[in-house]
Amino acid sequence: VELVITENGERIIATHEFELDKSSVDKAIFRADIIIKQPGTFNYGIRIFPKNENLPHRQDFNLVKWI
């Protein structure tokens, strides 16, 4: 799970990956402590992607989901 911060929806300012905090059979809870140091108006998006060392790139397939 990753937070993407953009300026006017165009230029990526920063990305912050969440850490797995807790998990059970049917639920996973992720956490991120983020401090924004730059003033201004930004767009925020959260994307979920599979993470595995055997994947060539995390965005090369249709399993990335935006919420």
Side-chain angles (χ1 to χ4, degrees):
V1 177
E2 181 177 61
L3 174 69
V4 179
I5 304 170
T6 63
E7 188 174 47
N8 298 325
E10 298 174 6
R11 185 172 69 95
I12 294 179
I13 300 294
T15 60
H16 300 278
E17 191 168 328
F18 288 59
E19 294 181 15
L20 181 62
D21 190 33
K22 300 175 188 175
S23 66
S24 63
V25 174
D26 60 348
K27 184 177 7 177
I29 298 173
F30 290 86
R31 176 188 173 108
D33 295 319
I34 301 167
I35 299 172
I36 305 298
K37 297 179 181 179
Q38 184 175 350
T41 302
F42 302 102
N43 295 333
Y44 299 91
I46 296 176
R47 59 184 170 193
I48 301 170
F49 56 88
K51 191 170 183 178
N52 186 301
E53 62 186 35
N54 295 320
L55 294 172
H57 192 273
R58 67 182 187 192
Q59 295 174 334
D60 285 344
F61 45 88
N62 62 358
L63 297 179
V64 175
K65 300 294 181 196
W66 284 88
I67 57 173

